[in-house]
DNA sequence: CGTTTTCTTTTCCGAAATGACAATCAATTA
DNA sequence: TAATTGATTGTCATTTCGGAAAAGAAAACG
């Protein structure tokens, strides 16, 4: 064996720096140099540990979503029965004091990257497919009598509501921070309560 | 007077080239050089007529949305009564064969630009405020008996649904092209039919 | 020790984009 | 015809980024 590997720590450093960069400077502004600066390492370090810029973004997507898988998808799968839906609703429409979570910006930038880069896109496709499925599972636990088609539409609707609202919030549109999405989301949910 | 100004035609050329660039190469790839190439003019031309890159994007935002104002907001204001809502629904959820309209990509890139640049953001804020108001007007025409709060929530909900779905469509998520949003949107509408 | 492995630092090159400036050309009007 | 206004073209310097490679330093292990 040679010198012990710093890869694990360094990669973590770099990923977190990448997140901060995406948040502060957007996708185009997330250059290897800036990530290096933000992480306190040199650009050569970044290249050494994660490769070129495309590699960086792809690894970052994996890193980010594997975190979410534990935090969201995992938590829903772990919760039982009627505990699921409140978790989902809070996650999608948490109306805390922060208008948007820090991650929302990062995610949107990543989506932009995914439109151009297939590897990133695939990561996001599989993640989002799972996430929407989790929403559907939560709905199924709450409304087992509803039709699968209706559940699917509502699940996807909730998801789109959350994504769309996050976009509007990033534009600092006043209407985005008034809890109006949550009202719309509740309306969607009512459909499942009404006709079985 | 000197030589007659070509500003009007040239600007139009440049704006259309900018749209094509945003669509093909994204925000980061929309450089003055590429816009010049796409428009058939020289980079000096672009600089001469629209200024630097930030100026270009701001002028483009104005140009794009003044077009939409005529096409969408204007059309709704012009339609009478119960003709409004179908126009809105078609505009937001047109389920044609194209998974997404050409402009959707451009708009999303512009939103990304608006997050960083305040001048662009202001343009988009005012436009979207008006657009959501138009949706609300259409709902008011169809459901005059519904409560204003409910209408507002549904209007904003429809808008978010459309935005979120457009994002998912750009990621080529299969679920985005199945007409599922439209189903969710119809569910939202039902809320206004039910309790006045 | 010395070898091996990995980390770390440094240097170089090329491409692309921006900003600024200058010079020439063309059309209109006095 | 001359002056003026704006169009058109071209050039230069600077910056930033990305990609690649080389060389040195540090730690484990036999």
């Amino acid at each position: 064996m040679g010198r012990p590997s710093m890869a694990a720590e360094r990669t973590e450093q770099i990923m977190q720096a990448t997140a901060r960069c995406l948040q502060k400077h957007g996708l185009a502004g997330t250059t290897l140099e800036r990530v290096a600066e933000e992480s306190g390492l040199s650009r050569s370090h970044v290249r050494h540990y994660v490769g070129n810029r495309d590699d960086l973004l792809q690894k970052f997507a994996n890193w980010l979503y594997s975190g979410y898988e534990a935090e969201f998808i995992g938590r829903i799968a772990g919760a039982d029965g009627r505990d699921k839906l409140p978790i989902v609703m809070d996650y999608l429409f948490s109306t805390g004091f922060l208008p948007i979570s820090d991650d929302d910006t990062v995610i949107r930038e990543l989506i932009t990257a995914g439109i151009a880069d297939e590897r990133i896109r695939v990561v996001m496709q599989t993640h989002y497919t799972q996430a929407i499925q989790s929403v559907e599972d939560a709905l199924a636990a709450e409304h087992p009598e509803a039709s699968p088609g209706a559940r699917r539409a509502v699940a996807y609707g909730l998801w789109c509501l959350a994504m769309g609202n996050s976009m509007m919030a990033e534009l600092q549109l006043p209407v985005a921070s008034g809890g109006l999405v949550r009202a719309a989301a509740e309306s969607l949910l009512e459909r499942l309560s009404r006709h079985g």
Side-chain angles (χ1 to χ4, degrees), chain A residues 50-120:
Chain A
V50 302
N52 63 25
R53 187 169 181 273
D54 286 344
D55 295 334
L56 168 67
L57 290 178
Q58 195 218 340
K59 283 180 180 161
F60 177 76
N62 276 307
W63 177 82
L64 184 73
Y65 286 120
S66 66
Y68 278 116
E69 245 145 73
E71 190 182 326
F72 177 63
I73 301 180
R75 250 176 72 206
I76 294 174
D80 36 28
R82 307 193 50 190
D83 292 344
K84 292 176 192 275
L85 190 53
I87 298 178
V88 168
M89 292 295 282
D90 267 5
Y91 178 77
L92 293 182
F93 308 105
S94 70
T95 154
F97 296 102
L98 303 169
I100 45 174
S101 105
D102 285 351
D103 287 342
D104 277 4
T105 311
V106 175
I107 289 177
R108 275 214 45 265
E109 293 298 328
L110 209 51
I111 289 181
T112 303
I115 292 169
D117 185 317
E118 186 181 351
R119 293 187 304 169
I120 297 179

Side-chain angles (χ1 to χ4, degrees), chain A residues 85 88-89 92-93 131-140 142-143 146-162 181 184-196:
Chain A
L85 190 53
V88 168
M89 292 295 282
L92 293 182
F93 308 105
I132 295 173
Q133 183 62 48
S134 294
V135 176
E136 208 176 326
D137 292 347
L139 292 177
E142 184 81 17
H143 301 286
S147 83
R151 275 204 302 257
R152 188 143 189 72
V154 171
Y156 183 60
L158 290 177
W159 185 260
C160 288
L161 276 178
V181 234
E186 310 274 355
S187 294
L188 259 186
L189 284 183
E190 282 181 37
R191 160 163 178 183
L192 297 181
S193 313
R194 276 177 287 126
H195 31 67

Side-chain angles (χ1 to χ4, degrees), chain A residues 5-6 14 40 45 62 84-85 101 110 119 126-127 172-173:
Chain A
S5 173
M6 304 285 292
I14 292 170
H45 275 121
N62 276 307
K84 292 176 192 275
L85 190 53
S101 105
L110 209 51
R119 293 187 304 169
T126 57
H127 171 74
Q172 300 173 23
L173 216 66

Side-chain angles (χ1 to χ4, degrees), chain A residues 9-71:
Chain A
E9 298 96 308
R10 294 294 191 223
T11 302
E12 182 68 19
Q13 262 183 288
I14 292 170
M15 291 304 143
Q16 291 186 2
T18 304
R20 285 195 297 275
C21 272
L22 283 171
Q23 192 185 318
K24 286 197 272 187
H25 308 113
L27 178 65
T30 299
T31 65
L32 292 183
E33 300 213 349
R34 236 195 279 257
V35 170
E37 181 190 6
E38 186 79 35
S39 65
L41 303 173
S42 72
R43 192 167 68 88
S44 300
H45 275 121
V46 178
R47 267 192 68 74
H48 181 71
Y49 286 106
V50 302
N52 63 25
R53 187 169 181 273
D54 286 344
D55 295 334
L56 168 67
L57 290 178
Q58 195 218 340
K59 283 180 180 161
F60 177 76
N62 276 307
W63 177 82
L64 184 73
Y65 286 120
S66 66
Y68 278 116
E69 245 145 73
E71 190 182 326

